[in-house]
Amino acid sequence: MLKALLKKQITELNKSFLQNKKTGELRSKKSAVGIITMFALLMCFIAFAFVGIGELLMASLHPVGLDWLYFFIMLLMSIMLGAFGSVFNTYTSLFKAGDNDLLFSMPIKPGMIITVRLVGVYLMGLMYCLPVAIPAVGVYWFRVGATLLTVLLPLLSIVLMSFFILVLSIVVGYVVAILSTKIKNKTFVSVFCSVAFLALYYFAYFKANALIQTIAANPDYYGKKIKASTFFLYNLANGACGNVGSFFISFALTAAVFVIVVAVLCRSFMSIASKSGSVKSKSAKQAKIKTSSLKSALLKKELKRFSTSTTYMMNCGLGLIIMPVVAILAFIKQDFLGGMMTEISAESQYFSNMMILAPASAICMICTLNGISSPSISLEGKNLWVLQSLPVSEKSVLEAKVNVHVLLNSIPAVISTAIMCVAFGLDILNIVLSCCLVWMYIWFDARLGLILNLKHCDFEWTNEVVPVKQGMSVLFNMLIGMVISIAMLAISSLALTVLNSAVYMAIFALIFILLNLIEMCWLNKKGVEIFKSL
């Protein structure tokens, strides 16, 4: 039974590579190999970037005998990347997977279910940390040479690190699960915890970047401080570069913490995974029932779908938080931006022209992260028939999915654009046109995401992570949006040498209006036909 469950879990993780999500059929061998090759090339590109970082660190640390400090920095970056890749999915994957009820109803021991779920979380974290860990070990081998200890211990240290990432993921997922059973609004608890972790992650990331530069400048002094204050990570790093005693210390600590965490998880897994939350009895009260229009009802339904899914909100709504943060930072640092723009203007007219479009282009790129419409049809899952059987037109259903995307993005995007334009010192006309340009782009992006989801929909999923994070429509929508945002900025460097900035932005706004009309016509005709046939 365990073998069958593990096979099922691994198949779900690799589903996007092996199965056509729209038809549910297996991909051809050529198609599967092509997709796997593209993903492998992306991982290789990331790994290649860390090869350069490893070479720089090893060149400065190896000559002074601080190989452990090299591994400390590289393993720390690997842990951060691995935790970032797996921690946001742990709560959903462990406690709220779509097939939990089915598995609970079968004669399967809870231990097997927990094991299978943990394998999925472990593999996700491992996938994200290896593009850093493997280059780190490769650079070390190239510099030091290959012996039994230098080959074996670094590889075993990577295994230990991957289990440490798993422990971090379990702890965060467990905390979110406990809070969600105590507080009524589970979704916002999950989102709050995830955003808090994300803020701490990026804070640590930027601090780590500055720390690396500081350590490289004075490795002896900071090496002693790190050795005294980070017991586990020091022993893990020291074990990776050949110290057998340090390796066994880190192994014992990891094993002990892992056993404790898993034991706590096993004792409370079933109660948390099967609990819907506390329910308090309330006395009945008479109240007037308010009716709403058809459009309003469909819009509320889409808003509720978004606001009740942690996975959906975190993966397709994170930009709603990033936009105002970026705008406020730009406003606070407007003196620095003003000085930078003065220097750029003195050096190159082309880059000076790009600065005029920078606020609108930056906000459009962040809006691309908010692909609320791009998985919206796939998220209906096996309940799509309910939506299709309602006495509403298919056109109204599709419009509601577009409208909720626009509604959630427009207000923060327009306000953030205006704040950034002020920080960049633009005049009132350029501020108004920048806001209009961003608003038109949001309408275009909303319809584009819906079109892509109609063409690449997936209803065969047991975890919302699949359509939201691994869906082809989400990926294509993000890539197209980024290309357009960058192109809009890049073309301005040449176009603004012959055009007024207001004219340039007005032209792009008109282009988006035209594209919106084309998308609208497609959705009203071809899109409605596809939706009927799903």
Side-chain angles (χ1 to χ4, degrees):
M1 179 60 75
L2 181 60
K3 183 179 178 181
L5 290 174
L6 287 173
K7 183 178 179 181
K8 167 188 169 295
Q9 188 71 28
I10 294 172
T11 301
E12 286 183 1
L13 289 174
N14 297 311
K15 187 178 178 181
S16 58
F17 298 131
L18 305 175
Q19 188 179 40
N20 187 319
K21 295 179 179 180
K22 186 174 181 180
T23 62
E25 298 177 354
L26 291 176
R27 298 183 187 274
S28 64
K29 288 185 178 180
K30 288 184 178 180
S31 177
V33 169
I35 292 175
I36 293 171
T37 302
M38 288 178 62
F39 183 78
L41 288 174
L42 177 62
M43 292 293 104
C44 289
F45 176 78
I46 296 172
F48 183 76
F50 281 99
V51 168
I53 295 173
E55 283 285 354
L56 290 173
L57 288 172
M58 201 63 181
S60 61
L61 298 177
H62 179 63
V64 294
L66 291 175
D67 291 354
W68 72 266
L69 188 54
Y70 161 77
F71 269 114
F72 177 88
I73 295 171
M74 295 300 288
L75 290 178
L76 182 61
M77 287 191 289
S78 185
I79 288 170
M80 292 173 67
L81 194 63
F84 180 78
S86 65
V87 78
F88 295 124
N89 303 321
T90 306
Y91 170 65
T92 304
S93 300
L94 273 177
F95 301 103
K96 295 299 175 184
D99 58 349
N100 270 352
D101 291 338
L102 176 63
L103 294 180
F104 293 162
S105 65
M106 298 174 69
I108 301 174
K109 294 181 179 180
M112 286 189 181
I113 300 175
I114 295 171
T115 301
V116 169
R117 299 287 186 235
L118 290 181
V119 167
V121 175
Y122 174 79
L123 291 176
M124 186 67 72
L126 185 66
M127 182 181 69
Y128 278 90
C129 75
L130 284 182
V132 184
I134 290 176
V137 173
V139 170
Y140 180 73
W141 287 341
F142 179 76
R143 287 277 184 174
V144 176
T147 64
L148 179 62
L149 288 180
T150 59
V151 171
L152 186 61
L153 287 182
L155 294 176
L156 292 176
S157 296
I158 292 176
V159 175
L160 281 184
M161 178 195 64
S162 64
F163 276 93
F164 179 72
I165 293 170
L166 177 61
V167 169
L168 286 178
S169 300
I170 295 171
V171 170
V172 174
Y174 186 80
V175 170
V176 173
I178 292 294
L179 290 175
S180 68
T181 60
K182 304 295 182 183
I183 300 174
K184 184 178 179 181
N185 199 323
K186 302 177 180 61
T187 302
F188 284 98
V189 170
S190 303
V191 171
F192 175 79
C193 293
S194 300
V195 170
F197 178 84
L198 190 64
L200 288 172
Y201 171 83
Y202 278 109
F203 177 78
Y205 174 81
F206 289 117
K207 285 293 183 181
N209 192 28
L211 181 64
I212 289 170
Q213 296 177 4
T214 306
I215 290 172
N218 196 352
D220 290 323
Y221 173 73
Y222 286 101
K224 293 177 182 177
K225 293 189 72 174
I226 290 171
K227 189 185 296 186
S229 58
T230 57
F231 182 75
F232 169 74
L233 288 177
Y234 162 70
N235 280 285
L236 180 64
N238 198 32
C241 61
N243 190 307
V244 178
S246 292
F247 172 79
F248 278 108
I249 290 173
S250 60
F251 173 79
L253 288 172
T254 304
V257 175
F258 178 74
V259 169
I260 293 170
V261 169
V262 172
V264 173
L265 177 65
C266 290
R267 290 191 64 178
S268 54
F269 174 76
M270 290 297 294
S271 61
I272 295 174
S274 59
K275 187 181 291 185
S276 59
S278 58
V279 179
K280 295 182 179 180
S281 60
K282 292 184 178 180
S283 58
K285 294 182 180 180
Q286 289 186 348
K288 293 182 179 179
I289 299 175
K290 295 181 180 180
T291 60
S292 58
S293 65
L294 178 64
K295 289 185 178 181
S296 177
L298 288 172
L299 184 64
K300 288 177 182 177
K301 179 254 180 193
E302 295 298 329
L303 283 170
K304 187 176 181 180
R305 183 70 184 83
F306 179 76
S307 62
T308 54
S309 170
T310 305
T311 306
Y312 195 8
M313 291 177 71
M314 284 304 303
N315 288 279
C316 296
L318 194 58
L320 300 175
I321 300 172
I322 295 175
M323 276 188 285
V325 170
V326 170
I328 292 169
L329 287 175
F331 187 78
I332 294 171
K333 299 289 185 179
Q334 57 182 309
D335 293 336
F336 170 76
L337 289 173
M340 183 183 69
M341 290 181 68
T342 302
E343 292 179 7
I344 290 174
S345 299
E347 292 183 6
S348 172
Q349 179 63 32
Y350 296 112
F351 286 108
S352 177
N353 293 337
M354 291 172 66
M355 289 298 101
I356 299 174
L357 265 293
S361 179
I363 297 299
C364 286
M365 189 173 293
I366 297 173
C367 285
T368 301
L369 301 175
N370 301 327
I372 297 170
S373 64
S374 52
S376 59
I377 296 174
S378 294
L379 283 171
E380 299 294 340
K382 295 178 180 179
N383 294 322
L384 179 68
W385 68 271
V386 177
L387 196 59
Q388 291 174 326
S389 63
L390 292 174
V392 295
S393 65
E394 290 80 6
K395 178 182 174 182
S396 298
V397 172
L398 298 179
E399 283 180 352
K401 294 184 180 296
V402 170
N403 290 339
V404 75
H405 180 113
V406 174
L407 177 64
L408 292 171
N409 278 280
S410 292
I411 296 175
V414 170
I415 294 174
S416 299
T417 303
I419 294 172
M420 285 191 70
C421 287
V422 172
F424 275 73
L426 304 187
D427 57 49
I428 187 65
L429 178 60
N430 281 315
I431 292 174
V432 172
L433 286 171
S434 294
C435 292
C436 291
L437 178 60
V438 169
W439 194 52
M440 287 296 103
Y441 172 82
I442 290 170
W443 279 102
F444 161 76
D445 188 51
R447 293 192 173 101
L448 175 65
L450 193 62
I451 290 170
L452 290 171
N453 200 208
L454 284 167
K455 301 289 286 184
H456 302 280
C457 51
D458 174 23
F459 302 115
E460 300 296 326
W461 50 266
T462 57
N463 194 322
E464 288 182 346
V465 172
V466 174
V468 170
K469 203 165 186 176
Q470 302 173 12
M472 298 300 290
S473 57
V474 176
L475 176 63
F476 289 153
N477 189 32
M478 191 178 297
L479 290 176
I480 292 171
M482 286 186 175
V483 169
I484 291 173
S485 301
I486 295 170
M488 185 168 61
L489 183 65
I491 295 171
S492 67
S493 64
L494 294 173
L496 293 185
T497 59
V498 294
L499 288 176
N500 181 276
S501 59
V503 175
Y504 179 79
M505 282 190 277
I507 290 172
F508 255 96
L510 290 172
I511 291 173
F512 284 129
I513 291 173
L514 179 61
L515 291 173
N516 269 296
L517 291 173
I518 295 172
E519 289 175 331
M520 192 186 303
C521 292
W522 190 94
L523 285 170
N524 291 341
K525 294 181 180 179
K526 187 68 174 177
V528 166
E529 293 176 5
I530 294 175
F531 186 77
K532 286 180 180 178
S533 63
L534 292 176

